[in-house]
Amino acid sequence: MTDTIGLPQPPALGASALPAGTYDGTVVLVTGGGTGLGKAIASEFARLGADLVVASRKPEHLAAAEEALGALGGRVLTVGCDIRDAEQVAAAFDAATEAFGLPSVLINNAAANFPSPAEDLSPNAWRTVVDITLTGTYLCARELARRHLAAGTPASIVNVGASYAWTGGPGFAHSAAAKAGVKNLTETLAVEWGPYGIQVNGLVPGLVPHEDMTADIRENLDRNEGKARSQPAYRIGHPRELGWAATFLASPYGRFISGHTLVVDGANWQRRHLTNPEVTPRARPARPRPLRALRHRRP
Ligand code: HXC
Ligand code: NAP
């Protein structure tokens, strides 16, 4: 019998499938580009010559973006911005345009998430995740599109999603619902704006751990020992693999791809069958429920 080997490792950091200078003279705005996958995606654009604008809330994340992207030799602008606020989003585009010119690539990478049983979420907790992940994505896309529609110039948007947009995400009801919205929005906007030269795609990372993961997301992942062997690829993803996919989607070589969501997860989300491992519900606090009351609710 053949040994299992999993999917091969990718080329080393710094390699690129696209020609050097593919993004020379192109302004790329990445939300949440100071941490994790956003930083990795921004770095691949920087390596290919882009001028980078990174927008997010926290000064320490913006400083990290400046350091990482500056080290790659390109021009970098960082802008404090909460993507839930349309005025702050407009101000970020103003600052970008003043510094480098109107961004023609937008990577909607910023998102919010924390694990929580659905019934425990407060209305504000729900709203916070949906506002950042879905509304923030929409507001940034709208700002870019309005400016390009007015100028009559083409642009490309990549919305970062998650595979529980298709499957549902037990323990992450807010984020999964918001990501389903992002996937759906990608499809609508691609059709609405295609005639005006604006390409809109989605990009879904699989399991791609990184050093900036929030503590509760990391803790959630750490519970799954042997992470690599839980994947059909027999390995986890590397942040640069998302960067390569994003730079391809927004490049001249991906111009006829629009309304598509590209999943970079080694086929992990298709791994479903009728005999999944046993379901282990989390321990619930005792809530006395009289049997009779339950019976009443049944038809
Ligand atoms: C339950 C929580 C909570 C938690 C916050 N809340 N954290 N509820 N469990 N762990 C509730 C708060 O009590 C509050 O509700 C509401 O959410 C808003 O909280 P704030 O702290 O005021 O919000 P804010 O400062 O805006 O911060 C947003 C945040 C924070 C989402 C809570 O974690 C953040 O800034 N995250 C950004 C980075 C991030 O989330 N990255 C993950 C992306 S990874 P009340 O009712 O008390 O007012 C990803 C991976 C997908 O998406 C796939 C992974 C499996
Ligand atoms: P991360 O490091 O936690 O990044 C989230 C980024 O979003 C941070 O840089 C944060 O910056 C920014 N952000 C959050 N709220 C914001 C707001 N209101 N306004 C502006 N920026 C905001 O997470 P990640 O793992 O790199 O995830 C990046 C993307 O990939 C997300 O869309 C996520 O859902 C998706 N994803 C990741 C994985 C994975 O395995 N890593 C899997 C599936 C999907 P500030 O705090 O400075 O605002």
Side-chain angles (χ1 to χ4, degrees), residues 207 224-236:
L207 180 60
N224 178 4
E225 282 173 34
K227 287 185 278 285
R229 294 177 68 87
S230 73
Q231 310 284 306
Y234 263 38
R235 71 169 175 88
I236 54 172

Side-chain angles (χ1 to χ4, degrees), residues 27-283:
V27 183
V28 178
L29 193 152
V30 183
T31 63
T35 65
L37 302 190
K39 191 163 72 178
I41 290 171
S43 297
E44 295 309 323
F45 279 101
R47 281 195 181 91
L48 290 165
D51 296 322
L52 264 302
V53 182
V54 170
S56 83
R57 299 162 303 171
K58 296 186 181 151
E60 65 271 26
H61 293 163
L62 296 175
E66 226 166 275
E67 192 185 328
L69 301 173
L72 295 171
R75 297 195 294 172
V76 189
L77 172 75
T78 59
V79 194
C81 172
D82 188 325
I83 58 167
R84 287 169 282 192
D85 181 337
E87 283 180 14
Q88 289 187 43
V89 169
F93 274 86
D94 284 343
T97 306
E98 195 174 317
F100 302 145
L102 179 60
S104 60
V105 176
L106 166 66
I107 308 297
N108 265 319
N109 162 80
N113 197 10
F114 47 79
S116 172
E119 70 275 22
D120 292 348
L121 287 166
S122 70
N124 192 40
W126 170 271
R127 202 178 302 121
T128 298
V129 170
V130 174
D131 275 359
I132 296 174
T133 304
L134 177 56
T135 309
T137 294
Y138 166 67
L139 290 176
C140 292
R142 185 186 76 153
E143 195 58 45
L144 179 98
R146 283 183 170 180
R147 292 173 189 235
H148 281 281
L149 294 175
T153 44
S156 184
I157 299 172
V158 177
N159 296 324
V160 179
S163 61
Y164 49 35
W166 290 277
T167 62
F172 298 93
H174 45 4
S175 168
K179 292 295 193 184
V182 168
K183 180 193 167 282
N184 187 280
L185 181 67
T186 297
E187 286 150 12
T188 300
L189 298 183
V191 174
E192 282 202 28
W193 296 340
Y196 308 101
I198 301 176
Q199 191 187 359
V200 188
N201 287 299
L203 176 61
V204 163
L207 180 60
V208 191
H210 56 77
E211 60 192 17
D212 298 321
M213 276 178 147
T214 55
D216 47 12
I217 297 283
R218 173 163 294 283
E219 205 176 289
N220 198 272
L221 286 181
D222 285 349
R223 257 184 257 140
N224 178 4
E225 282 173 34
K227 287 185 278 285
R229 294 177 68 87
S230 73
Q231 310 284 306
Y234 263 38
R235 71 169 175 88
I236 54 172
H238 299 283
R240 63 185 181 278
E241 298 187 281
L242 276 303
W244 291 331
T247 50
F248 167 68
L249 281 175
S251 78
Y253 306 94
R255 284 286 179 261
F256 204 50
I257 305 172
S258 198
H260 180 70
T261 291
L262 177 63
V263 184
V264 179
D265 81 338
N268 191 48
W269 84 266
Q270 280 92 354
R271 190 169 173 251
R272 307 207 146 215
H273 30 91
L274 289 175
T275 53
N276 281 317
E278 198 174 317
V279 174
T280 46
R282 72 184 181 97

